[in-house]
Amino acid sequence: MASHHLSHDDPAGYLAGYLDRLARGLPADAVDELADGLTETWRHHIDAGRDPAAAARAATAEFGTPETIIAAFVAHAPGRRIARALLVSGPALGACWGASLITAHAWTWPIPVPAAAGYAVTLLAVAAALLLAATGRRSLRRTRLGAIGGIGIVALDAAMLATTMLVAPVLVWPMAVAIPASLARITLTVRSLPAALAP
């Protein structure tokens, strides 16, 4: 969308410039829907007796600033919700697995060092993606990192479960909490991903 100077004396340019600012933080389909509503509101103000320029100013004032609209979309984005839920639940589940691995003496398991290091690096990358998605306020695109982080969490949980079942010599009591919790997190995350991945 081309940039337009926000001149109060040019209603068409003023409205187009307003939509251009929205397009910097929202997908095209969302901007198109807002454009339809903005046009209807503008025409309503014209029908009420305002001149086109005043009607344009009144319509955009009724909608709110582009920054406010973008922030509202971001706050309700599925990716942001996924990220926040996983960040909130992460420490408790991490503690369960930590207790499980310590109790089971996981340092004695036959796991290659590169595999363990790869798991740790992936965990840090996933946590960073979730944090960026959860804290972003001005970019809807940034919230999509929540979906990437969710996919990473599913992969990490699956890897932990598979490693425990295949390598652990015995199942220790903390795993009675950690294993069902990971399975539940996988299920809930997978169910939430389609909305976060939708264009």
Side-chain angles (χ1 to χ4, degrees):
M1 184 179 295
S3 178
H4 296 267
H5 179 62
L6 294 183
S7 171
H8 288 188
D9 298 324
D10 175 18
Y14 182 79
L15 294 176
Y18 180 89
L19 293 171
D20 185 54
R21 289 165 62 190
L22 287 174
R24 296 172 193 168
L26 298 178
D29 58 341
V31 176
D32 288 342
E33 289 184 18
L34 289 168
D36 291 340
L38 185 63
T39 300
E40 290 181 9
T41 304
W42 176 59
R43 289 174 177 164
H44 172 75
H45 285 292
I46 290 177
D47 291 341
R50 297 191 178 188
D51 64 77
R57 293 193 297 272
T60 55
E62 191 170 321
F63 267 56
T65 66
E67 292 74 20
T68 300
I69 294 173
I70 291 170
F73 271 82
V74 169
H76 294 91
R80 183 183 174 95
R81 291 200 300 269
I82 288 176
R84 290 195 162 191
L86 291 175
L87 287 172
V88 168
S89 64
L93 190 50
C96 289
W97 275 113
S100 298
L101 297 177
I102 291 172
T103 304
H105 300 150
W107 53 88
T108 64
W109 296 358
I111 299 175
V113 172
Y119 188 95
V121 170
T122 303
L123 179 60
L124 290 175
V126 166
L130 293 174
L131 188 60
L132 286 171
T135 57
R137 295 182 180 179
R138 298 181 180 178
S139 174
L140 195 62
R141 297 178 183 91
R142 180 168 160 178
T143 66
R144 293 182 182 274
L145 289 172
I148 296 173
I151 293 171
I153 285 292
V154 169
L156 290 171
D157 272 339
M160 182 62 76
L161 291 170
T163 300
T164 300
M165 294 299 144
L166 296 174
V167 178
V170 295
L171 297 181
V172 295
W173 69 265
M175 292 179 184
V177 177
I179 291 174
S182 277
L183 290 171
R185 183 164 69 174
I186 288 173
T187 300
L188 293 173
T189 303
V190 168
R191 288 179 180 174
S192 301
L193 283 175
L197 292 170

